[in-house]
Amino acid sequence: LPEDDQLPNAHDVDMQPDLLLAYLSDKNESFTLKQIGETLRSLSKEHLWRNDIRSRVLRSPELVSLSSDQEPRFTTRSYIHSQKHLMSNAQVLANDDNFAVDPAMLTQAIAKKNRALGIVNASLSDEQKTALDHMLSDRALACVVGTAGSGKSTMLDVARTAWESVGIKVYGASLAGKAADGLEQASGIRSRTLAAIEISWEHGFDPITPCSVVVIDEVGMVGTRQLSRVVAKLTEL
C-alpha cells in the first residue's frame, strides 16, 4: 500500500477508501468536503465512481466531523491519535533537563564563527545568539523559527561546533533530499531525509544514541504521522 503522504491510485482507493482519508489527514490538520472532491477528481474522471467513493468515505468510522461555524471540516481518528502521541512525547523531551552544553563551549564556538565572519565585516546578531542559548540549553527539545535569510544555517553551524566540542554527534534531517543537501552544505551537519533515517533505524544502522542531537529542518513540512514516529523513537533513547 502507498505511504500516507503519497496520493494513492484509484484502484487502491476503490478497494480501501480510508487510504484517501489517510492521505488527506497527513497533508492537513483538517479538511473539507471540497478537498475530498478535488482529490477524487485528481484520481478519476468517472463521475459515478467519485460519488460512490465519496459516499463510502463519508460513512467511514475513521472520519471525524469537527464543529465549524462555516464550512464543515473533518479529520480522522488516526490523525487525532498521532497528534496526541506526538504532543505527549514532545512534552517528555521538553521536560528532560539533562542535556546542557557548557556555556563556555558555546562562547568559544560563537567567537570562532565571528572571526570567520569578520573577513566580510559581519558577526552573529543578538537574535542568533539568543536562539543559540535556547537551542543549547539543558532541555532535550528546542524549536527555532526564522524567516528565509535570517541566518539559521550560520546559527546551526555554530551549534554543531559547540555540540561536537563536547562529544555530541549531530544528525541533520529534512523531508526532502534537496533540503537535506542544503542543510548539510550550509551548516556542516551530515544530513539525510527523515525517510532514510527511519529505514536505518528499522535495520539497526547508524543508530541515534542518548548522546546525539537530531536537527530537523523545515519541520512544519513534515506530516504528523511521520513526525510522531520520529519523536517517539527519540523519546525511547
Side-chain angles (χ1 to χ4, degrees):
L1 294 179
E3 296 292 334
D4 291 333
D5 61 351
Q6 296 177 346
L7 180 62
N9 59 49
H11 177 268
D12 289 338
V13 171
D14 190 49
M15 298 297 294
Q16 193 175 343
D18 280 358
L19 289 175
L20 184 71
L21 293 175
Y23 171 79
L24 287 168
S25 66
D26 194 72
K27 296 295 182 181
N28 311 276
E29 182 176 5
S30 64
F31 49 89
T32 65
L33 290 173
K34 181 180 178 181
Q35 287 172 291
I36 293 175
E38 289 173 345
T39 306
L40 287 173
R41 279 193 292 275
S42 70
L43 293 176
S44 174
K45 297 180 180 179
E46 294 289 338
H47 181 72
L48 292 178
W49 180 86
R50 295 201 306 266
N51 283 345
D52 175 62
I53 298 298
R54 183 176 181 275
S55 296
R56 290 160 63 188
V57 163
L58 294 179
R59 293 196 304 268
S60 172
E62 174 70 2
L63 189 68
V64 177
S65 178
L66 304 174
S67 60
S68 174
D69 295 333
Q70 300 178 351
E71 187 176 11
R73 301 196 70 86
F74 304 88
T75 188
T76 63
R77 296 187 188 281
S78 60
Y79 176 85
I80 293 173
H81 173 76
S82 294
Q83 187 180 52
K84 289 181 177 179
H85 196 220
L86 171 60
M87 296 302 294
S88 176
N89 284 324
Q91 191 62 56
V92 170
L93 291 177
N95 291 337
D96 183 349
D97 58 359
N98 296 304
F99 209 80
V101 173
D102 186 342
M105 297 297 99
L106 176 56
T107 299
Q108 291 179 18
I110 290 174
K112 179 180 178 181
K113 175 57 69 174
N114 278 338
R115 285 195 296 272
L117 292 173
I119 297 175
V120 292
N121 295 319
S123 63
L124 292 172
S125 68
D126 290 340
E127 287 186 344
Q128 287 173 310
K129 293 176 183 178
T130 298
L132 283 164
D133 285 337
H134 173 64
M135 290 176 61
L136 276 73
S137 70
D138 58 357
R139 300 294 176 178
L141 177 67
C143 299
V144 174
V145 179
T147 59
S150 60
K152 296 188 298 295
S153 296
T154 300
M155 177 193 66
L156 285 172
D157 185 27
V158 176
R160 175 189 58 79
T161 299
W163 280 320
E164 291 179 346
S165 70
V166 294
I168 295 174
K169 189 170 184 179
V170 187
Y171 296 80
S174 187
L175 185 62
K178 185 176 181 179
D181 291 342
L183 173 62
E184 181 166 336
Q185 293 173 7
S187 68
I189 299 173
R190 187 168 66 90
S191 305
R192 293 184 293 166
T193 64
L194 282 170
I197 289 177
E198 285 194 276
I199 291 173
S200 293
W201 284 344
E202 289 174 6
H203 292 85
F205 301 128
D206 206 10
I208 306 295
T209 71
C211 193
S212 302
V213 164
V214 178
V215 175
I216 303 179
D217 190 28
E218 298 181 348
V219 70
M221 302 293 291
V222 182
T224 298
R225 289 180 181 82
Q226 184 175 32
L227 188 59
S228 180
R229 293 193 303 267
V230 170
V231 173
K233 177 68 176 179
L234 298 177
T235 307
E236 294 171 2
L237 299 177

